[in-house]
Amino acid sequence: MRISLDKAIKLLKAGEVVAIPTETVYGLAADARNDQAIAKIYATKERPANNPLIVHIAGIDQITEWASDFPPLAQKLATTFWPGPFTLVLPARADVPVTVRAGEPTVALRVPSHVICLQLLRESGLGLAAPSANKYTQLSPTTAAHVEFSLGDDIPVLEGGPCQVGIESTIVSVNGDDWQLLRPGMISESVITLVAGKPALHTSDEKPKAPGQHLLHYSPRTPCILFDSRHALDEYAATVPAAAALILGNENPTDITKNKLALALNPVSAAEQLYAALHTLDALHAPVILIESPPDTPAWAALRDRLHRAAYQPPTQK
Ligand code: TXA
Ligand code: MG
């Protein structure tokens, strides 16, 4: 159900959830100070409550309403990358609802650059908790239609056109002088290193750095298999003629698979196209989606991350 900006503000102030556009993916938003509204996000997404949410704010001046510490390194990153596809995890003020940060002592904050989203944040005066507007573990939505496909036609959606960045924000935690990359995104680790003036702190422990970052994430319903080369993909495709495929760059005349989509051969355009392409291929109900892996270079790191997650198969139960 598409709704106006005024209606979205009314619903959010009344403690309801609304799907909203951002430049990365559509978010399922609710008032980040309202525990009952936050509970509706988790219930609608069927998301475990131990997976904290990002709070979207209208500007850097609002940061002290949420973070108890805003060290110079975080200030430098925020002024460089906001508004934009960049999330900062900082120590939380004690009055930030425990539900929005899932019990963590930190809070994730982002100033999005989508104009309608910014207008919503400014006019409502709210901080909006918003995870991607899809059921837990499913593909992220980059259009209003994707949201309705995953969450149903009754979900109120503020239309904002197709998302221009196309994959979720880069997440960085800052602790004093140190920073860590919690989730790769289109603002790359190398650019952050340049701005921070130092490399990310790498810890050796194995536990996931961002709670809720399970491998099984961003998945189409159709099983996906990742291939290191087009040649390997084609060889496999010859044995499964009904397979769908997601390839990079131009098609070869010899390509075997018919149900095929090609992503642009540059990472910025490919990111913008990624989820719509996976939604389309998923809707074909092919037995499998064959995916050509992007090159193992820093510029493609975020795309590789999402595609590896899409292709992850949980170990079968014995
Ligand atoms: O681009 C985006 O970030 C989109 C749009 C809607 O803004 N949002 C998004 O939210 O991707 P979600 O919930 O799908 O992913 C948020 C990630 C989760 O993996 C969560 O673990 C991490 O952010 N996160 C949130 N709060 C955190 C915290 N306090 N500490 C560490 N990680 C946190
Ligand atoms: Mg998500």
Side-chain angles (χ1 to χ4, degrees):
M1 184 188 13
R2 313 288 163 96
I3 59 166
S4 66
L5 183 70
D6 285 348
K7 176 81 178 176
I9 293 172
K10 279 199 191 89
L11 286 172
L12 290 165
K13 285 189 168 168
E16 298 299 328
V17 295
V18 174
I20 62 165
T22 85
E23 73 278 25
T24 58
V25 300
Y26 274 74
L28 185 65
D31 178 357
R33 295 269 180 204
N34 179 334
D35 282 320
Q36 272 141 25
I38 295 163
K40 286 179 192 166
I41 293 180
Y42 285 104
T44 307
K45 277 184 68 84
E46 297 167 15
R47 171 172 167 133
N50 65 355
N51 194 348
L53 306 174
I54 296 171
V55 177
H56 299 69
I57 55 177
I60 199 167
D61 51 313
Q62 291 181 356
I63 207 153
T64 49
E65 295 170 27
W66 303 91
S68 62
D69 188 23
F70 191 29
L73 173 59
Q75 290 175 31
K76 205 193 268 181
L77 297 175
T79 48
T80 306
F81 297 123
W82 282 351
F86 183 77
T87 297
L88 264 179
V89 173
L90 293 170
R93 269 173 51 154
D95 60 356
V96 176
V98 171
T99 44
V100 82
R101 49 193 163 102
E104 297 290 320
T106 50
V107 60
L109 295 162
R110 175 161 110 82
V111 179
S113 64
H114 193 290
V115 282
I116 296 173
C117 186
L118 273 179
Q119 200 181 350
L120 174 71
L121 289 165
R122 289 200 190 109
E123 290 188 18
S124 69
L126 300 171
L128 294 176
S132 50
N134 53 282
K135 293 272 187 203
Y136 182 61
T137 79
Q138 286 182 6
L139 279 177
S140 295
T142 53
T143 65
H146 292 160
V147 176
E148 289 158 350
F149 178 73
S150 183
L151 299 180
D153 286 335
D154 291 342
I155 199 83
V157 186
L158 179 61
E159 168 73 66
C163 303
Q164 307 247 292
V165 174
I167 64 171
E168 299 81 356
S169 60
T170 306
I171 306 183
V172 161
S173 72
V174 173
N175 203 332
D177 295 337
D178 288 318
W179 67 281
Q180 275 186 288
L181 183 69
L182 303 190
R183 179 174 71 186
M186 292 313 285
I187 292 183
S188 68
E189 182 166 4
S190 53
V191 169
I192 301 166
T193 303
L194 216 63
V195 174
K198 63 196 288 194
L201 188 72
H202 287 278
T203 52
S204 53
D205 60 32
E206 289 293 309
K207 74 175 166 49
K209 288 179 280 189
Q213 288 260 307
H214 304 295
L215 262 178
L216 181 64
H217 213 135
Y218 317 109
S219 308
R221 289 165 200 191
T222 314
C224 299
I225 307 177
L226 211 57
F227 294 87
D228 282 338
S229 72
R230 180 82 64 84
H231 178 71
L233 187 152
D234 285 342
E235 274 190 353
Y236 190 96
T239 67
V240 189
L246 183 63
I247 61 170
L248 281 179
N250 292 334
E251 298 178 26
N252 295 329
T254 54
D255 280 352
I256 292 144
T257 316
K258 292 280 170 290
N259 301 328
K260 183 170 35 179
L261 284 177
L263 296 179
L265 203 49
N266 79 76
V268 173
S269 304
E272 184 180 353
Q273 299 163 345
L274 176 71
Y275 286 126
L278 285 172
H279 273 102
T280 303
L281 293 173
D282 203 19
L284 296 174
H285 300 290
V288 62
I289 301 173
L290 314 178
I291 300 176
E292 180 180 353
S293 180
D296 190 5
T297 59
W300 287 94
L303 269 290
R304 281 174 66 87
D305 171 77
R306 301 308 186 276
L307 288 171
H308 277 88
R309 289 170 194 280
Y312 175 74
Q313 294 298 321
T316 45
Q317 312 234 310
K318 293 232 171 84

